Amino acid sequence: MAEKRKLTFAFVPLTGCGGCEVQVLRAFTLYPELQEMYDIVYWPFVVEEEELPEHVDVVMVEGAVRMKKDIEMLRKARFAAKYLVVVGSCASFGGINGQADYFPTVENMKVVYRREKLEKTEEILERVYSPADLVPVDYIITRCPPLPETIRMVLVNLYEGKKPPATVETVCAQCPRKMKPIEQPIDEKFFKKGLPGPDVDPNTCFLSQGYLCLGPATIVGCGAPCTRAGIPCFGCGGPAADIAVRRDEDIPVVIARIIATLAGMDPIEGGEKVLEILKKVYGLRRFYTFTLESEVFRRKPRGFAIQVLSEKRVKGEAKSR
Ligand code: SF4
Ligand code: SF4
Ligand code: SF4
């Protein structure tokens, strides 16, 4: 039987921290079978080719679209790719890069680069975009940064001509903590801010103990290392699939509904009451650390992400973030 031909692979970095790129590189070194399956034809960090070829089997894109040149590169990637895979929370949902839009760009430049006079601002777009919002993508590997084993799983499936599996499970599926009924009234006093201290029961769900945990709204796969280590999930994995695809679902609504149910309240009416308390205690921005600039969330009917963006901090306040 003829040996299966290698597929071609390209990696296209847009505006990101490089963390996803390192994880893809780790996947290729931890799982050497990937090197038997793929010829790397473009990857600025790894091979010398300077131009993305016109036709590539699998193109992975990292980072958000922040610069004009990102749009051009993303267009080239889409046209070249048989399968376009966006990798990481920035490429999937705008990621942590989207937080930049909470502040005026001029203020960001001053705070980050300590420059009074800005250079080349015409290169910077008015807002951050998720690549997945600008071109059709074939697969999303979310998480900040994504795990090498997930990257491997997607690349092996694509090589074998199979569809990588999707999941609707959340971080709670891998968390060892048990949800318990909430016996006290749900009011502002019930919710705690800051990191949980030693008084917290290590076997009980954070939500049952009054700490905000985004596990029920976050896609499964990380193994819940944070909740195991005593820190509530802050959602770096990206949203659970059904929250992303269902227009009537949204991150704070899901969390509020679960808390209401744990407290024996009506999930819908009680959930709305809990939601109002959560907004007061934590603020809506807390729910969108990795998704603020995703069109998926900007276009949700209740418009929470848009409300957060409309708070856009004014001159001077960026220093206190
Ligand atoms: S998803 Fe995370 S690791 Fe990847 S580029 Fe964005 S910030 Fe960096
Ligand atoms: S809400 Fe958080 S602490 Fe509770 S089960 Fe889910 S991931 Fe674990
Ligand atoms: S538990 Fe939550 S915050 Fe921690 S790695 Fe998993 S998804 Fe990210």
Side-chain angles (χ1 to χ4, degrees), residues 218-238:
T218 303
I219 193 163
V220 73
C222 60
C226 304
T227 64
R228 288 172 197 273
I231 301 167
C233 171
F234 53 93
C236 83

Side-chain angles (χ1 to χ4, degrees), residues 9-15 20-21 24 52 58-65 70 73-78 81 83-92 130-132 135 137 139 141 146:
F9 175 90
F11 188 92
V12 172
L14 305 179
T15 299
C20 293
E21 188 163 9
V24 178
L52 181 67
V58 177
V59 180
M60 272 192 181
V61 169
E62 173 207 64
V65 172
D70 291 335
M73 208 55 221
L74 180 61
R75 274 161 49 85
K76 279 189 189 165
R78 178 61 278 183
Y83 295 111
L84 185 71
V85 181
V86 291
V87 65
S89 293
C90 292
S92 309
S130 145
V135 294
V137 300
Y139 295 101
I141 305 176

Side-chain angles (χ1 to χ4, degrees), residues 187-188 191-193 276-283:
D187 53 20
E188 287 180 42
F191 291 107
K192 302 166 186 87
K193 287 178 148 185
E276 288 310 308
I277 298 167
L278 289 174
K279 281 190 203 169
K280 279 192 197 137
V281 176
Y282 299 107

Side-chain angles (χ1 to χ4, degrees), residues 57-233:
D57 290 311
V58 177
V59 180
M60 272 192 181
V61 169
E62 173 207 64
V65 172
R66 169 87 273 192
M67 314 289 283
K68 282 185 183 162
K69 66 178 182 180
D70 291 335
I71 295 186
E72 195 41 44
M73 208 55 221
L74 180 61
R75 274 161 49 85
K76 279 189 189 165
R78 178 61 278 183
F79 292 139
K82 182 173 180 193
Y83 295 111
L84 185 71
V85 181
V86 291
V87 65
S89 293
C90 292
S92 309
F93 296 100
I96 202 81
N97 276 350
Q99 291 297 317
D101 288 347
Y102 191 66
F103 303 93
T105 305
V106 170
E107 282 303 303
N108 282 332
M109 294 293 283
K110 281 184 187 168
V111 170
V112 176
Y113 299 108
R114 301 190 196 289
R115 283 192 190 146
E116 286 300 316
K117 207 168 173 191
L118 306 179
E119 293 158 21
K120 294 186 178 171
T121 45
E122 74 278 4
E123 275 302 308
I124 301 175
L125 299 171
E126 277 304 305
R127 56 163 283 206
V128 171
Y129 294 90
S130 145
D133 289 334
L134 301 186
V135 294
V137 300
D138 299 295
Y139 295 101
I140 284 178
I141 305 176
T142 184
R143 205 163 294 288
C144 176
L147 301 171
E149 47 269 41
T150 316
I151 295 163
R152 173 191 171 273
M153 181 271 291
V154 170
L155 286 176
V156 168
N157 274 282
L158 289 177
Y159 179 76
E160 291 174 349
K162 298 178 193 158
K163 239 180 167 176
T167 179
V168 292
E169 283 189 318
T170 69
V171 169
C172 297
Q174 293 181 322
C175 174
R177 292 172 179 264
K178 296 279 168 264
M179 288 187 179
K180 290 188 183 161
I182 298 170
E183 308 288 0
Q184 66 190 91
I186 303 288
D187 53 20
E188 287 180 42
K189 289 198 285 290
F190 172 70
F191 291 107
K192 302 166 186 87
K193 287 178 148 185
L195 289 177
D199 54 322
V200 167
D201 179 350
N203 301 313
T204 301
C205 170
F206 283 119
L207 294 180
S208 303
Q209 302 185 75
Y211 286 94
L212 180 62
C213 180
L214 298 189
T218 303
I219 193 163
V220 73
C222 60
C226 304
T227 64
R228 288 172 197 273
I231 301 167
C233 171

